[in-house]
Amino acid sequence: MANPLLIHYIKITEFLGQVLGPDYEVVLHDLTDKNQSIVAIANNHVSGRAIGAPLTNVALKFLKEKCYETQNYKLHYTGVSATGKALRSSTLFIKDEGKLIGMLCVNFDDSRYLDVSDSILKLCHPDTFVGFEALSEGERKKDFHSSLLVEESFHNSIDAVVSEAVGKELEELGITADRLTVEERMHIIAALDASGIFLLKGVIPNVAEALHCSQASVYRYISHIKNND
């Protein structure tokens, strides 16, 4: 634990995990080291992460946008569990004299309750009930996610964070990394910068490898983007 101001939150993390139960993952992030930010976690089977895992894509976006300066928390955004289930996530911004020092996150996997709800509704309205509660899990997840711009993903390493972030950009462009033009590579670097991924230390080599270019090129692209901004 690098920040002594967060020590008492470790017990709070453990306490909430016990009180809320196994469907609620509770995570404490210490922002002293964004690459290994998780310093306490309860019910980690939900996301599959462990102590020492890095910040998520959504947490990095919070930092990049500095939404914590005007808000004390973010409620009910979406994430995906280790088994592919939709999660409902919320984050409390922990501040010291206005400076963000940590985040306390709760990720709720409500799939068991939705399954029970579906079973009951099917008894009452077999094959005729129409509505959100009667949708299949895939349809329900799609409906839930469609109203949100960012989906939180959880990883235990920086390599995985970069790989997914770059992979999503390549998928949107419909191209492989070895066929990127300079303009396309610049577009991806700009998107990664906007996502906050460069707030993580030492990711330049990972990004360069994922984009099939040199580290010097990545630095040059970033410099160009910042100068234009």
Side-chain angles (χ1 to χ4, degrees):
M1 168 67 70
N3 194 327
L5 297 177
L6 295 176
I7 290 177
H8 71 284
Y9 281 94
I10 292 178
K11 285 297 181 183
I12 292 175
T13 300
E14 179 183 339
F15 171 72
L16 289 176
Q18 292 285 339
V19 171
L20 296 175
D23 297 309
Y24 288 83
E25 178 184 69
V26 186
V27 186
L28 177 62
H29 291 278
D30 180 350
L31 298 184
T32 303
D33 185 351
K34 301 177 184 65
N35 290 44
Q36 299 181 9
S37 64
I38 293 183
V39 292
I41 186 168
N43 301 323
N44 67 325
H45 57 272
V46 173
S47 71
R49 291 174 297 170
I51 289 176
L55 288 175
T56 66
N57 58 322
V58 168
L60 289 169
K61 192 170 182 65
F62 290 161
L63 294 182
K64 186 69 175 181
E65 295 176 346
K66 297 184 178 181
C67 59
Y68 56 86
E69 292 183 349
T70 56
Q71 298 174 268
N72 291 318
Y73 46 77
K74 282 281 190 177
L75 300 176
H76 308 314
Y77 53 90
T78 183
V80 180
S81 75
T83 57
K85 302 284 188 180
L87 301 178
R88 298 174 188 266
S89 304
S90 299
T91 291
L92 171 70
F93 299 129
I94 304 172
K95 308 174 192 179
D96 178 37
E97 297 183 350
K99 179 184 177 181
L100 185 67
I101 62 171
M103 299 183 190
L104 185 64
C105 307
V106 178
N107 303 304
F108 175 40
D109 177 4
D110 64 359
S111 58
R112 288 198 305 157
Y113 307 97
L114 290 172
D115 289 341
V116 172
S117 174
D118 285 349
S119 298
I120 294 173
L121 288 171
K122 286 174 183 176
L123 290 174
C124 302
H125 308 276
D127 303 321
T128 60
F129 187 75
V130 178
F132 178 78
E133 294 298 337
L135 295 176
S136 68
E137 181 182 337
E139 292 171 321
R140 203 164 47 225
K141 182 177 177 181
K142 181 179 179 181
D143 183 82
F144 177 42
H145 291 175
S146 65
S147 63
L148 298 155
L149 296 177
V150 179
E151 179 180 275
E152 187 167 29
S153 52
F154 307 101
H155 300 290
N156 277 308
S157 70
I158 299 301
D159 282 342
V161 172
V162 172
S163 179
E164 180 180 66
V166 172
K168 285 182 177 179
E169 297 301 325
L170 291 173
E171 185 178 359
E172 286 188 10
L173 291 175
I175 196 170
T176 56
D178 58 314
R179 298 180 60 189
L180 288 169
T181 64
V182 172
E183 291 75 17
E184 288 167 337
R185 194 171 281 115
M186 180 78 75
H187 172 81
I188 291 177
I189 293 293
L192 293 177
D193 182 56
S195 75
I197 201 167
F198 294 116
L199 294 174
L200 298 171
K201 294 180 180 178
V203 297
I204 298 295
N206 306 78
V207 172
E209 182 179 359
L211 293 178
H212 291 206
C213 66
S214 68
Q215 295 180 39
S217 294
V218 176
Y219 281 114
R220 187 169 63 253
Y221 292 142
I222 294 174
S223 178
H224 179 76
I225 291 164
K226 292 189 181 302
N227 287 337
N228 285 345
D229 290 342

